Amino acid sequence: MAILEILEVPDPRLKQVSVPVEKFDDELRTLVSDMFETMYDAPGIGLAAIQVGVPLRVLVIDLQPDDPDAEPVACAHDGHAHHHQPTKREPQVFINPEILDPSEEQTLYQEGCLSVPEIYADVERPSRIRARWQDLDGNHHEQDMDGLMATCLQHEMDHLEGILFIDHLSRLKRQMALRKLEKLRKVA
Ligand code: GNR
Ligand code: NI
């Protein structure tokens, strides 16, 4: 297990189009477990492989990120005292994901991105989608999604095409966001 470095704008690797996974092997399992560790550490609710420099069509999502300020909960329900995460983790892996029938209805959501730190902006995306993907064993899944899950999956799918959420903004708003990030980096 390892926490990987998250690439940030303007790293050109973030503009790469990621390629489909063909081998469902131990190397893929290690990548996914390192991606979860990196995402929980950040913390974030999603991560695409290209954000850690790997141009494969692999995403991890957990909409229940750890609250870094919360104390681990002591628990003895099975007679043995132990600690567990205060929020229940719901890790989900999406390999070679596709979006089917996006709704015409759009939703506005204030998005952020671990590769564009500390910048938040409203992005409009289809409210509901049907997603198709493979799991770590190569089995296919299909599911309807809405709410934050639909938004997050579309944000992550964009990374696979080399697109960042700021690319959905007007040129003026994108330039303002990138200048703000430059300023924040200077004081950091
Ligand atoms: O942690 C993240 N939060 C988030 C909030 C709104 C919409 C999308 C996201 S994804 C982001 C993590 C990230 O950068 N994934 O690529
Ligand atoms: Ni992102």
Side-chain angles (χ1 to χ4, degrees), residues 2-3 5 20 29 46-47 49 66 71 103 118 127 131 142 167 173:
I3 293 171
E5 189 196 338
R29 283 174 197 277
L47 192 72
D66 292 339
E71 295 291 319
S103 64
E118 295 181 80
S127 312
E142 227 177 272
D167 296 326
K173 282 191 180 168

Side-chain angles (χ1 to χ4, degrees), residues 46 51 112-115 155-156 159 164-165:
Q51 291 181 278
C113 181
L114 295 172
S115 298
H155 172 116
E156 301 311 336
H159 279 297
L164 299 171
F165 81 98

Side-chain angles (χ1 to χ4, degrees), residues 7-18 50-51 55 115 158-164 166-167 174 178:
L7 307 183
E8 294 182 2
V9 281
D11 194 306
R13 288 172 287 179
L14 291 168
K15 297 208 167 168
Q16 268 183 264
V17 176
S18 294
I50 192 60
Q51 291 181 278
S115 298
D158 270 356
H159 279 297
L160 303 185
E161 301 302 322
I163 296 167
L164 299 171
I166 51 172
D167 296 326
R174 180 166 54 253
L178 290 171

Side-chain angles (χ1 to χ4, degrees), residues 4-7 31 34-35 38 47-54:
L4 308 171
E5 189 196 338
I6 297 177
L7 307 183
L31 170 66
D34 289 348
M35 284 172 65
T38 304
L47 192 72
I50 192 60
Q51 291 181 278
V52 294
V54 179

